[in-house]
Amino acid sequence: MHTPPFSHLHAFLAVARLRSFTAAARELGVSRSAVSQAIRQLEEQLRVVLLSRTTRSVSPTDAGKRLVEAAGPGLSQVLAALATASAEPGEVVGRLRLSAPRMAVPFVITPVVPTFRLRHPRVEVDVVVEDRFVDIVAEGYDAGVRLSEAIERDMVQVRLTEAFRFVVVGAPSYLERYGEPQKPEDLLRHECITFRSQTTGTPYAWELERGRKTWRLPVRGGVVVSGDGGALVSLAEAGAGLTYAFEADVKEQVRTGRLKIVLESYAPEVPGFFLYFPSRAQRSGPLRLFVEAARELAVKAL
């Protein structure tokens, strides 16, 4: 069997990562039909189906996933090497693809990326903001930002912020009407503005702790929000119920009295945000420089 052309593999990896022929064509600077033809020829040469296609979605088959895992890191290194060949002595060029959850953006992405780009203008930074857990190796990311408990143990972890809390908050108007919960179980009798897990699609169980004891409470209410944490806070401010929030997201509302923290002695603390990446990725010049910038510029205290 002849070795498939580099361009065919490049096209396949782009479609597998972006889950779209159109987006891959845009990124590669070619037509959609050229991408489709390249992947069809690659599948014919390998004698396997690499992508599962429907009218609404594209996703790798099992064979496609194996190819992504095996070839993705190698292709990234080849592209980085080609970019480096055109660099001036001492200049770093390339592309850095990062995954980050929404709540990490003001503490890690916003304070770090602009200065990083000023220092290294030939490094392109591609940031994908999404709250689901991402397999950064399989999906072609160089690094991700997550809470430490969500990171696989074989990843290198670099602490970027101090620890922080999640809190239960409500508007004074709601608390005057329904009273303030005194213990975690009281939440089961309150109107709680809930949100869905990005992974399972089910309402998230609120987690509380005190000492060594922990609670996972399947709270319920008449409103469930998906995809926008800001809507939870706005609804809580309007008196629609209690909600569970990243403390930094409600700091101003609590300071001005628009919201009040309840069950504060049960607020769980998490270790903070970490940048994480596979150990082999440490050879990447752009990533090494981004780690240095993130350590320096990320907002440490939330």
Side-chain angles (χ1 to χ4, degrees):
M1 181 178 68
H2 296 296
T3 302
F6 177 84
S7 59
H8 292 185
L9 182 59
H10 195 188
F12 162 70
L13 291 171
V15 174
R17 172 166 49 82
L18 298 170
R19 305 296 173 101
S20 165
F21 280 85
T22 301
R26 188 181 307 118
E27 179 178 286
L28 298 172
V30 299
S31 68
R32 189 183 186 284
S33 61
V35 171
S36 182
Q37 182 179 359
I39 291 174
R40 184 171 60 252
Q41 292 174 354
L42 181 61
E43 289 179 323
E44 290 173 356
Q45 190 166 0
L46 297 178
R47 299 194 185 100
V48 294
V49 176
L50 297 172
L51 295 170
S52 175
R53 308 162 175 86
T54 69
T55 55
R56 295 186 177 183
S57 65
V58 179
S59 60
T61 61
D62 287 342
K65 290 176 182 175
R66 290 195 297 272
L67 183 57
V68 169
E69 291 171 1
L75 182 66
S76 297
Q77 290 180 9
V78 169
L79 293 174
L82 291 173
T84 301
S86 66
E88 297 294 328
E91 182 183 37
V92 175
V93 299
R95 183 168 176 265
L96 194 62
R97 190 163 185 262
L98 305 172
S99 169
R102 177 197 59 83
M103 65 182 184
V105 170
F107 306 100
V108 178
I109 303 303
T110 303
V112 175
V113 170
T115 300
F116 176 80
R117 285 278 300 134
L118 285 173
R119 293 176 180 175
H120 310 289
R122 292 196 63 189
V123 177
E124 177 187 341
V125 182
D126 180 359
V127 181
V128 178
V129 179
E130 52 188 345
D131 290 330
R132 69 182 179 90
F133 290 147
V134 174
D135 183 336
I136 62 170
V137 174
E139 298 186 39
Y141 291 92
D142 296 289
V145 178
R146 285 290 182 270
L147 305 178
S148 63
E149 62 262 35
I151 301 173
E152 297 85 350
R153 292 188 178 183
D154 60 346
M155 293 284 170
V156 177
Q157 299 185 29
V158 178
R159 174 183 284 278
L160 298 181
T161 73
E162 295 177 359
F164 57 83
R165 302 189 305 175
F166 285 92
V167 293
V168 179
V169 293
S173 60
Y174 174 87
L175 297 173
E176 288 171 11
R177 190 178 309 123
Y178 297 105
E180 187 172 326
Q182 300 300 311
K183 57 185 185 299
E185 292 82 3
D186 292 347
L187 292 172
L188 300 175
R189 296 187 291 275
H190 274 268
E191 179 74 11
C192 295
I193 307 165
T194 60
F195 52 94
R196 297 188 186 279
S197 163
Q198 293 282 325
T199 305
T200 66
T202 58
Y204 182 79
W206 292 4
E207 300 178 62
L208 301 177
E209 64 183 32
R210 190 172 191 174
R212 294 185 178 181
K213 188 171 182 181
T214 61
W215 290 261
R216 283 183 59 84
L217 296 155
V219 298
R220 291 292 182 269
V223 179
V224 181
V225 174
S226 299
D228 183 3
L232 294 166
V233 176
S234 296
L235 288 166
E237 281 190 73
L242 303 176
T243 198
Y244 185 84
F246 176 34
E247 188 172 16
D249 282 347
V250 294
K251 194 172 183 179
E252 182 62 18
Q253 290 88 338
V254 171
R255 187 187 68 79
T256 57
R258 303 199 304 274
L259 288 173
K260 180 182 179 181
I261 297 175
V262 299
L263 298 170
E264 185 163 10
S265 61
Y266 296 91
E269 185 175 271
V270 294
F273 289 118
F274 289 72
L275 187 71
Y276 70 104
F277 45 87
S279 58
R280 66 188 176 201
Q282 293 182 87
R283 295 191 296 270
S284 162
L287 178 57
R288 187 177 65 254
L289 293 171
F290 189 82
V291 170
E292 292 174 2
R295 278 177 162 156
E296 173 193 347
L297 301 167
V299 177
K300 301 297 186 287
L302 310 188

